[in-house]
Amino acid sequence: MKLVKILLLLLCSSVYAQDTKLYLKSEQSVYSVKPSAFHYNDFSHAISSKQQFIDQPQLLSPFNEEQKKPQSQQYDRWLKVTLVNDSKITQWYLSFGFARLPQLAVYWQDTPDENPIYQLTERSTFYERTVRDPQTYIPINISAGESKTLFVKYQTFGNAPANIRIHSPANYLETSQTSLVTNAALAGVIAAILLIVVVNLWFNMNATNVFYAIWTLLFLIIVVDMAGFTYQYLWPNQGVFAGYFSIGLWAIVPIFHLCFVRGFLQLDYHHPLLDKVYKSVIGLYCLLLPIALYLETVYYNLITSTLVIPLFAYTFWWALRQSAPGIRIFALSLFNHILFLNVLTIMGASYGNVFDVFEIASYIKVGYLVEVLLFTIAMAIQHKSVQKQLVFQLQNQVNSLNQTVAFEKLTSEQQKHDIKKHEAKLFTDLSHELRTPLTVMKIQVESLQHNIVDNVHDSYVKLMDKIDELNQFINSLMLVTSSGDMHKLLKLQSVTLKPFINDVHQECQHLVDMRHQSLSLNSQLTDLQCLRFDPDALKKVILEIVKNALRFGGKDVEVELSFLEDEDGVTIRIEDSGTPLTYEAHQQLFQPLYRQEASRSAMLGGKGMGLAMCKKIIEAHSGKISSHNSLLGGLCIELKLPHLLATAA
């Protein structure tokens, strides 16, 4: 058993102690240090020095598939490579694909542990770099024909895989300048898109556009931060803050991205269940923000983003099935996010170099750029559709307004025509009503002139009666057509209802021909005993209506006089069993001088003023008068007096 352990130990030592060489030649300007044999992971923080790594390599985990797993803590990575310089170039440059690293120490094999040839910590300033470049470049010197073993201990933010390369001086300058121009151009493109988004936000202020504008701004800051511009130009002396800023930036971006997706798709209206899931995930990201800043790691945020992949996949599938404007392009942007950000980038960073052959920083920039372009196109299509709908609605409103104006104009013309027609009819009726008494008076005067009357005194009496009749008619006409307040002429007083009802009933009975006509009383007043009104005026109204019902209700007419109490007031109802009226007759029944036919003519002395006068008196009591056909078969007229005039028992 001991022998087996010894053999295994020797086997592991031989594996860890293998010396992988990299030959530097003049004809090749850049070398990618990506083979797994060069790299080791210190998950348990077992190695604290270069010499310990040389003496105890078995404490490290070799870079292989079994060790690619999420790590909540920042861990060290070691690179061991033997450089054989077969060129005349003596100074080469080591790069990592990041603007800055939390920890970095570079040693030759014979370099003391306490004095590495290059060292950076998270507190290091930008000015401590040997090469003042936005990206991290480390110069290494090796003589021509010399062979030296290089050891590199480093950490990355979020334990993301580093793209370690060795450059010749010419390639370093070319790569640095290309990176600078590319990042600046990319930032300019995103800034232009952000300007478009802000202009759109200015004219279309809503929550979705606000989230999109903030998300685009954060994307611009991410590009600037990953390019190293923030660390170089904004806070070069604040290494710790630069780290917190990057962590906070990556922790807050998903919040606004999810809010924007939720708002654009209007999930609260179209898919309430999915909307609840999005709200829960947004709440989780908000909870993880302070945790990320406190623990100085976005590990839990990256794990959550890995778990969000099925949510985005379902949203992509659901969005493809919808028919809203721009939604399919929006769905493609979600697919792009899943591929570049969630799968290639986030899973690659979370699970320790799952995709070690890719340059994660480049995929983040490309993925975000494609996504923001697709989002912008989708929103432009949506806004164009909304504008078309608004224009269509505006056209409909304009057409409706034109129709309304035309209708109002037609109505106004019709009203003018009706007024003229009513005035013509009024003058016709008025002339008819005046012509008869004037003709009688003319005959009487002519008889007096020619002394052909038997009794002069009787003729003068008849003339005076006709003059009084005309005066009464003119006064009544002026009263019912005047806009003045008739209530000033009323003598309002508190009247006990039961005696008043009995008095009215008795006077109505004197008008009834008991041989052919009948009058019944129906009084249902219980709680109400007194009412404030003009008893003479109201009695005149009731008698006028009962008289018309008896006169024009036909032979054997039955009349019913009812006094009813309801929540609105007192209702006096006069019904007869005569002939019902037409709809047009009910509309004009209370107009002055109105006559429907011979059977309904000559009201109040035959002048057509009786019901018009009744209407004026009831309205002066703040009441209402109306007519409809009665269940008895003829006409029903209702008088409503409000409770405001009532006095409780």
Side-chain angles (χ1 to χ4, degrees):
M1 190 66 181
K2 292 183 179 180
L3 180 61
V4 173
K5 291 182 178 180
I6 293 173
L7 290 175
L8 289 174
L9 182 60
L10 291 175
L11 180 61
C12 291
S13 299
S14 64
V15 170
Y16 285 104
Q18 59 180 330
D19 190 12
T20 305
K21 295 183 179 182
L22 187 65
Y23 294 89
L24 308 178
K25 301 180 180 298
S26 299
E27 58 270 18
Q28 186 172 349
S29 59
V30 61
Y31 298 85
S32 180
V33 191
K34 288 183 178 178
S36 59
F38 292 133
H39 296 273
Y40 303 88
N41 296 324
D42 187 8
F43 294 127
S44 59
H45 301 279
I47 301 297
S48 59
S49 65
K50 170 183 64 74
Q51 190 60 45
Q52 188 179 4
F53 171 42
I54 296 173
D55 296 336
Q56 298 174 295
Q58 69 277 5
L59 297 179
L60 296 176
S61 300
F63 189 88
N64 54 45
E65 294 295 332
E66 287 74 24
Q67 298 298 334
K68 295 176 180 179
K69 59 183 180 180
Q71 298 291 328
S72 60
Q73 300 292 329
Q74 290 285 106
Y75 61 87
D76 294 334
R77 290 176 175 174
W78 285 87
L79 168 68
K80 176 187 177 184
V81 58
T82 299
L83 301 179
V84 181
N85 191 3
D86 289 341
S87 68
K88 297 181 180 180
I89 302 173
T90 59
Q91 188 176 60
W92 296 77
Y93 292 86
L94 187 67
S95 69
F96 298 85
F98 292 103
R100 55 187 297 272
L101 299 170
Q103 299 289 340
L104 176 64
V106 182
Y107 308 85
W108 292 116
Q109 185 166 0
D110 56 354
T111 303
D113 283 325
E114 64 276 5
N115 190 25
I117 62 173
Y118 193 84
Q119 185 174 14
L120 287 176
T121 66
E122 61 180 5
R123 296 186 177 276
S124 299
T125 66
F126 177 80
Y127 302 113
E128 294 180 33
R129 295 184 175 187
T130 306
V131 178
R132 303 288 177 83
D133 193 277
Q135 298 293 311
T136 304
Y137 288 94
I138 309 301
I140 52 175
N141 297 310
I142 180 171
S143 302
E146 186 178 8
S147 175
K148 299 176 69 175
T149 301
L150 183 70
F151 293 85
V152 180
K153 177 184 177 181
Y154 67 96
Q155 291 181 3
T156 61
F157 289 104
N159 298 321
N163 182 27
I164 299 179
R165 292 181 295 176
I166 298 178
H167 308 261
S168 66
N171 182 263
Y172 151 68
L173 291 175
E174 179 184 353
T175 304
S176 176
Q177 292 173 359
T178 302
S179 175
L180 184 65
V181 173
T182 302
N183 287 320
L186 184 61
V189 171
I190 300 170
I193 296 175
L194 178 61
L195 179 61
I196 296 174
V197 172
V198 171
V199 172
N200 173 67
L201 177 63
W202 179 265
F203 292 101
N204 300 280
M205 181 65 70
N206 56 63
T208 301
N209 288 342
V210 170
F211 291 140
Y212 185 53
I214 296 176
W215 183 77
T216 308
L217 175 61
L218 293 176
F219 171 38
L220 174 62
I221 298 175
I222 285 176
V223 171
V224 173
D225 188 63
M226 293 183 67
F229 297 151
T230 55
Y231 185 47
Q232 181 178 4
Y233 298 109
L234 298 182
W235 37 75
N237 294 315
Q238 306 295 327
V240 176
F241 173 77
Y244 277 112
F245 180 79
S246 299
I247 292 172
L249 192 63
W250 282 103
I252 201 173
V253 161
I255 298 175
F256 290 97
H257 180 243
L258 289 169
C259 290
F260 168 63
V261 172
R262 174 178 169 266
F264 183 90
L265 297 177
Q266 298 182 15
L267 295 179
D268 56 340
Y269 178 77
H270 297 290
H271 202 318
L273 179 59
L274 186 60
D275 182 64
K276 292 181 180 179
V277 176
Y278 267 84
K279 287 182 178 179
S280 300
V281 177
I282 292 172
L284 179 60
Y285 272 113
C286 291
L287 181 64
L288 291 176
L289 175 59
I291 295 176
L293 294 174
Y294 179 75
L295 298 179
E296 299 183 24
T297 177
V298 291
Y299 163 76
Y300 298 103
N301 304 73
L302 297 176
I303 295 299
T304 303
S305 297
T306 304
L307 299 177
V308 167
I309 293 177
L311 176 62
F312 277 167
Y314 172 78
T315 307
F316 163 72
W317 173 79
W318 177 80
L320 280 180
R321 300 174 60 192
Q322 309 306 309
S323 58
I327 197 169
R328 289 184 173 85
I329 295 179
F330 190 87
L332 292 178
S333 69
L334 288 179
F335 177 79
N336 168 82
H337 188 92
I338 295 172
L339 178 62
F340 281 91
L341 279 302
N342 291 87
V343 176
L344 297 180
T345 301
I346 294 177
M347 286 187 64
S350 301
Y351 294 88
N353 289 328
V354 170
F355 306 104
D356 54 286
V357 297
F358 298 115
E359 185 179 357
I360 284 185
S362 298
Y363 273 84
I364 291 175
K365 297 172 185 177
V366 171
Y368 268 123
L369 179 60
V370 173
E371 185 172 10
V372 76
L373 287 173
L374 291 175
F375 277 165
T376 304
I377 294 173
M379 293 194 69
I381 294 175
Q382 185 191 60
H383 290 159
K384 185 177 180 181
S385 174
V386 171
Q387 289 174 355
K388 288 183 178 179
Q389 293 178 1
L390 290 175
V391 171
F392 178 74
Q393 292 177 358
L394 183 60
Q395 290 176 345
N396 288 339
Q397 291 177 355
V398 171
N399 293 335
S400 299
L401 183 60
N402 289 333
Q403 293 177 359
T404 302
V405 171
F407 177 76
E408 291 294 335
K409 182 178 180 182
L410 181 62
T411 303
S412 177
E413 292 177 353
Q414 183 65 36
Q415 289 176 347
K416 290 179 180 178
H417 176 73
D418 293 341
I419 291 173
K420 290 181 179 179
K421 184 178 179 181
H422 179 71
E423 288 177 349
K425 185 177 182 300
L426 181 62
F427 283 117
T428 301
D429 293 341
L430 184 59
S431 63
H432 174 74
E433 295 297 335
L434 292 176
R435 187 179 293 113
T436 301
L438 288 175
T439 301
V440 173
M441 292 173 65
K442 182 179 179 181
I443 293 173
Q444 292 292 333
V445 171
E446 289 178 350
S447 299
L448 289 171
Q449 286 178 344
H450 294 89
N451 295 318
I452 59 175
V453 294
D454 296 333
N455 191 331
V456 176
H457 179 73
D458 289 342
S459 296
Y460 280 118
V461 170
K462 291 180 180 179
L463 282 173
M464 293 301 297
D465 289 342
K466 289 300 178 182
I467 292 173
D468 292 338
E469 182 181 339
L470 283 176
N471 284 330
Q472 184 179 359
F473 171 71
I474 292 171
N475 291 335
S476 299
L477 183 63
M478 292 181 63
L479 188 60
V480 298
T481 57
S482 173
S483 59
D485 295 330
M486 188 177 182
H487 72 274
K488 295 180 180 179
L489 304 177
L490 298 178
K491 298 178 181 179
L492 298 178
Q493 54 185 289
S494 182
V495 180
T496 305
L497 291 178
K498 287 186 178 181
F500 173 78
I501 294 173
N502 293 332
D503 185 27
V504 170
H505 180 239
Q506 289 181 4
E507 291 199 28
C508 290
Q509 285 287 1
H510 294 312
L511 303 175
V512 178
D513 184 355
M514 304 303 295
R515 294 174 298 175
H516 305 289
Q517 300 172 335
S518 64
L519 174 67
S520 60
L521 176 63
N522 177 23
S523 178
Q524 299 183 14
L525 301 179
T526 56
D527 298 332
L528 189 64
Q529 295 186 8
C530 294
L531 193 68
R532 185 174 176 78
F533 59 91
D534 186 334
D536 293 334
L538 185 58
K539 182 187 296 184
K540 184 181 296 185
V541 170
I542 298 173
L543 290 174
E544 176 64 28
I545 298 173
V546 170
K547 181 171 62 176
N548 287 337
L550 294 171
R551 183 185 301 176
F552 307 115
K555 188 178 181 180
D556 300 327
V557 65
E558 297 179 7
V559 179
E560 182 176 317
L561 176 61
S562 302
F563 291 83
L564 309 174
E565 180 183 355
D566 55 29
E567 59 182 9
D568 296 326
V570 175
T571 300
I572 304 173
R573 184 179 298 157
I574 302 100
E575 303 178 78
D576 65 61
S577 61
T579 305
L581 298 183
T582 63
Y583 174 78
E584 291 77 10
H586 282 294
Q587 297 299 311
Q588 304 180 55
L589 187 61
F590 301 102
Q591 296 295 327
L593 304 176
Y594 170 72
R595 293 178 180 179
Q596 183 197 20
E597 55 192 6
S599 62
R600 289 289 179 181
S601 65
M603 294 182 180
L604 193 55
K607 297 293 187 293
M609 301 297 295
L611 292 181
M613 182 64 70
C614 293
K615 181 174 184 291
K616 198 76 174 179
I617 293 173
I618 295 301
E619 290 180 349
H621 283 84
S622 300
K624 294 182 180 179
I625 185 170
S626 61
S627 68
H628 57 271
N629 290 330
S630 170
L631 295 177
L632 297 179
L635 177 65
C636 175
I637 295 181
E638 285 189 350
L639 314 176
K640 290 185 177 291
L641 299 178
H643 264 314
L644 295 176
L645 301 175
T647 303

